[in-house]
Every structure is written in C-alpha cells, then in structure tokens.
C-alpha cells in the first residue's frame, strides 16, 4: 500500500528540521542502480605451478630460438611436426614472434612464443602476457613450458596475470565467458617457482589488479571516501600496516587550503589517505599520488571530449597505494608511506574560482588562475604534510598531471623530473627492467616565470601555450625542501591504453606499481 502524501508530511518536516539550511549535504550521490560491492570484477584463470604440463592443456612454448625446450613433453613425432611447421612459417623464436598450431598430437593447441636468445625477465613475462591474450577464448586448460629458472617461471606467472586482466562487472553478459580452466606454469622445481612468485610477483599482480579495478570503476562509485574504503578492504589482515585518514575538517585545521579548495565544489568530501608499511626500520620512502577521483576541470570546465577519461585522474594515488599493497603482501623489508591526495574537482556554486587565492599547509599562497590545474594543488599540501609528519629520506610523487606530458611522450613513456642525476639513473635502470619506461624532461629555474603571480607567491598555471609539464613540475618543486631527494612522475600519457599490449590490455594500465615496487625494494635510507 502506498502512503498518502499527507502521511509523508511529518517525515518531510522532520527531515527539513534536521537539515541545516544553505549547507550542502555531504551525501554522496550514487550512480543509479550501481552500488559498491566486492564481487569478482575480473574473471580470471587460476595460475599455479607444476613440474609438467597436464595432458589435456593447450601448450604455450616459450622459445629462445628454434630448439624446443626439454620440458615441452612432446613425443618425437609431435616435435617433428612442430619443427616442420616452424620451418614452413619461418619461425625462429625471435622476440615478439609467435606461431599458433593445431593438430599436434592430442594438444588442443600449441602456441610458440618467441623471446629471442637475449631474453630478459621482462621478455618472459611479456611472452606469458601474449599467451594470456591469445588464449582468452580457449576453453581448455593452459600450460606454459620453456621457463629456464624458478624466477623466470614466477615472471611468467605475473605476465599471465597482467595479460588476462579484464573488468566485466557492469556487463550483463561478459564479452566472453569466464575462462574456467586454470593455467599451469611449468618448471622442474615447481615449489621453488611457487616460492619465488609468492615472495614478489604475487604482490605486484595483486597491486596492479587493485589499481586497474579502482580506475575502471565509474566515478559515481569511486570518490575519496570509497577510495579509502577499498583501500582498507585490500589491506585487511596484513601486518605492519597502518592506515590513517584526514577528513576535510582535519585538513582545514592543518591549513591544507590547496587540497581542501580543489574538492570544495564537490558534495563528496576530500580525504588525505596515508598507508604506512613498516617492513624495516629507518626513515621511509614517501610515495605521493594525485587522487582526483573525477576531474571535470571545475569552473575552468573541460570539453566533453577532454573529460571522458577523467575518472582515471586518480591513477597516481591508486599506483602508490597499489605499490604499498604489493610490498606489504610480500612482506618486503622496506619502509614506505603511500599518500593519496583525494578530491573530486567539480563546478558548483561553492567551487573555487579562477582568481581565488588559497594558502597551503606550509604558508605559501597560490593564485588559482585555472581550476583545471588542480593536481599540483592537492600534491602541494600532500608533499608538505608527509615531509613534516614522517621525515622521509626521499619523496616520489606520481600524477596524471598534464596533457602536455602526454602530448610530448605519448603512451610510451611517463615524464620524469628530478634535480638529481643519480635519482634519474636509478629510475632509468628500474624502469627498463620492469617495462614501465620514463623519459626525463627539464626541471629548471627558468620555469619560475611561468608560475609567477602578481598577487600571490605562485600561480597554479602558466599562460598557454606553456611548457605545461615542466611548469607543473616546477610548481610542485616549490613545495619540496631544497635538500630533499625528490622525483616527480607525470604519467598522464601512460595511465590508459587505447589498444591491448601483452601486459596491458586496453584500459587502465596500472602504470606505476611495477616501477615503484621495484624502486622501493632497492632504494633505502642510508643507515
Ligand atoms: N588531469 C589533467 C591532465 C590530463 C589530461 C591527464 C589528459 C590525462 C589526460 C589535469 O588536471 C589538467 O587538466 N591539466 C591541465 C593543466 C593546465 C590547465 C595548466 C592540462 O594539461 O591541460
Ligand atoms: Mn585538471
Ligand atoms: Zn587532473
């Protein structure tokens, strides 16, 4: 029975009485019909290790040349058939080559994936990622052979996980049925391969998946508060982890006018999330991420086309939290603090205006000339907070900061800015090894001109067409102490893949987790 309008009146009156007039309600408005949940968002094959391939599995053979590996488990006749096919096709096992065969013995399929004779760990992961994507529709179980060491087998497991990722939870029917059969990574010492995987790559796989899921979720679902909830969920049960959250009132008390200002046009409250993983003593490495859960541009509103990917504008924040998750999950002997500067940038009657002047935590003032240059604002308060609160031995910030970085480097490289050549070398080495490359762009006092304000200490944007990525980096530098080792990564170009690559299916790449995970494992405080 439906209530008459009359019987609703007392409720309405009560609701009105409890509503402070003129004050925007901090009620998040959810997308219609969509609610938060924990259901598996990415149906995937289980990945396990064994010393031989199951007899009924589609066989993936990682080839460093034309010689079939000993553990392929093929009979003499089957090997001869594969060799004949290789000759006919001109397949030589070179990097990035592959050959798919059917009708070999009772195998549903034999997929040869070349890595070349100089193959690195990354090449083995990439080969497995290639297999994961090629065998998406394969109903049979899968086995991967030709992995020369336990470590390389663990890399292949990671590659398979990264390559098979998908996000289907808002499709009524998935594009393809979920693969039910597992994948077996074959290595003679399966226990050693499993142990190596558990000690490192399992964490990276979980961290990247966490990041991709968060970015894929619609911005009606992921906003600062729900970002925090998801983080708490992901870290539940892990040891040596501390999660601290500042809400807007706390940030105001600390004088974080820049971070609070950015979120001021949104009914969803801003947050500063800090995840500490203490797997070692000594000063921590601070990882600070831009976490704009949706960037409309604010009053300096973006065009429709420019706004469409802006749910991914929290990719930096997701990357630092995903990195902490990887390190904590694997109990890495490191001390890191991941800081996510979370806000939603929306136009509103209460939104900040071009022309406003705000004050950051450390006292510096900023003239807002463009509300769409919001990432540097939230980072300004976040880097000052972590420097003061935790005295890290170094700070790395990562952000989808400028279209300019993306225009300069495309999806191939993230832009790296640092004052210190040794830090640049450190990044170069790690980035090449894990396949998340960076390219150094200039950080120079000349860019001071671009952010000079007539009425405040700095302004938040240069005049276009400015060297946007360098101006942004220079702006952030103004909030970092001169003697603090520091790097800034502008990952605007690498956050999203338009087309699939072996380790990054089309969509959010999860860029940053592999890079920062590897960096944190070897960059420690001098004791
Ligand atoms: N989130 C954007 C940058 C961005 C653009 C990331 C495209 C990924 C893809 C950032 O907040 C922004 O709007 N930057 C402005 C800065 C400008 C106003 C100084 C830009 O790059 O145009
Ligand atoms: Mn913006
Ligand atoms: Zn942004």
């Amino acid at each position: 029975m439906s209530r008459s309008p009359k019987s609703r009146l007392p409720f309405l009156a009560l609701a009105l009485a409890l509503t402070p007039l003129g004050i925007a309600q901090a009620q998040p408005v959810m997308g219609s019909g969509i609610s938060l949940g924990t259901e598996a968002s990415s149906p995937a094959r289980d990945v396990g290790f064994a010393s031989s391939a199951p007899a009924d599995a589609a066989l993936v053979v990682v080839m460093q040349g034309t010689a079939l590996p000993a553990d392929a488990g093929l009979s003499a006749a089957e090997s001869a058939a594969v060799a004949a096919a290789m000759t006919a096709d001109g397949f030589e096992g070179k990097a990035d080559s592959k050959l798919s065969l059917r009708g070999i013995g009772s195998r549903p399929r034999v997929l040869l994936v070349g890595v070349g004779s100089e193959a690195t760990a990354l090449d083995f992961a990439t080969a497995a990622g290639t297999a994961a994507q090629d065998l998406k529709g394969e109903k049979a179980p899968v086995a991967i052979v030709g992995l020369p060491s336990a470590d390389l087998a663990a890399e292949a497991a990671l590659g398979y996980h990264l390559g098979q990722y998908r996000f289907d939870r808002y499709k009524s029917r998935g594009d393809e049925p979920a693969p039910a059969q597992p994948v077996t990574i074959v290595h003679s010492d399966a226990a050693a391969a499993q142990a190596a995987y558990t000690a490192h790559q399992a964490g990276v796989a979980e961290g990247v998946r966490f990041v991709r899921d968060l970015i894929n979720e619609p911005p009606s679902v992921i906003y600062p508060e729900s970002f925090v909830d998801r983080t708490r969920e992901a870290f539940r049960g892990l040891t040596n982890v501390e999660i601290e959250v500042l809400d807007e009132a706390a940030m105001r008390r600390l004088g974080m006018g820049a971070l609070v200002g950015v979120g001021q046009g949104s009914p969803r409250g801003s947050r500063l999330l800090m995840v500490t993983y203490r797997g070692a003593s000594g000063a921590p490495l601070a990882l600070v991420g831009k976490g704009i859960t949706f960037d409309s541009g604010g009053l300096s509103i973006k065009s429709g086309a420019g706004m469409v990917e802006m749910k991914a504008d929290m990719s930096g924040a997701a990357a630092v939290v995903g990195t902490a998750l990887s390190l904590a999950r694997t109990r890495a002997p490191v001390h890191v603090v991941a800081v996510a500067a979370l806000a939603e940038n929306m136009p509103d009657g209460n939104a900040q205006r071009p022309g406003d002047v705000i004050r950051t935590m450390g006292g510096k003032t900023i003239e807002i000339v463009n509300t769409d240059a919001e990432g540097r604002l939230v980072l300004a308060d976040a880097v000052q907070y972590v420097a003061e609160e935790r005295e890290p031995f170094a700070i790395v910030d990562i952000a989808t900061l400028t279209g300019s970085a993306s225009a300069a480097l495309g999806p191939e490289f993230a832009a790296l800015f640092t004052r210190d050549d040794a830090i640049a070398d450190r990044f170069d080495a790690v980035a090449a090894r894990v396949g998340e490359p960076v390219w150094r762009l200039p950080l120079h006092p000349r860019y001071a001109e671009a952010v000079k304000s007539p009425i405040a200490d700095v302004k938040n944007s240069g005049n276009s067409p400015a060297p946007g990525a360098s101006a942004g980096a220079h702006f952030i530098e103004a909030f970092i102490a001169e003697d603090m080792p520091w790097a800034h990564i502008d990952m605007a170009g690498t956050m999203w893949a338009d087309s699939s690559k072996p380790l990054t299916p089309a969509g959010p790449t999860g860029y940053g987790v592999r890079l920062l995970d590897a960096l944190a494992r070897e960059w420690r405080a001098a004791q």
Side-chain angles (χ1 to χ4, degrees), residues 290 295 297 302 313 345 372-374:
K290 168 180 173 180
D295 181 12
K302 288 180 183 296
D313 211 20
N345 188 22
D372 199 10
E374 84 297 339

Side-chain angles (χ1 to χ4, degrees), residues 127-268:
T130 299
Q133 296 197 14
D134 270 34
L135 299 177
K136 231 185 284 179
E138 179 62 60
K139 302 224 168 30
V142 172
I144 305 185
V145 300
L147 305 164
S149 71
D151 273 338
L152 293 172
E155 283 294 320
L158 171 61
Y160 204 97
H161 273 291
L162 298 180
Q164 74 167 336
Y165 177 82
R166 49 194 251 188
F167 185 84
D168 284 359
R169 67 172 292 203
Y170 299 112
K171 289 179 188 272
S172 308
R173 279 183 59 236
D175 285 344
E176 300 118 18
Q181 300 293 333
V183 53
T184 304
I185 309 291
V186 177
H187 183 66
S188 54
D189 192 345
Q194 173 75 65
Y197 179 72
T198 306
H200 184 194
Q201 289 90 347
V204 179
E206 183 177 345
V208 172
R209 183 182 153 128
F210 169 80
V211 170
R212 289 177 180 172
D213 279 354
L214 268 187
I215 301 173
N216 262 318
E217 288 284 6
S220 57
V221 170
I222 294 298
Y223 45 91
E225 197 183 349
S226 61
F227 186 113
V228 169
D229 293 344
R230 291 268 175 129
T231 299
R232 288 193 197 282
E233 227 170 76
F235 282 85
R236 189 161 298 141
L238 294 181
T239 52
N240 298 333
V241 172
E242 190 186 357
I243 296 180
E244 295 156 85
V245 181
L246 302 182
D247 62 12
E248 273 185 29
M251 289 193 278
R252 271 206 191 90
R253 279 197 297 276
L254 288 162
M256 296 187 174
L259 205 165
V260 171
V262 168
Q264 171 181 305
S266 169
R268 299 163 174 89

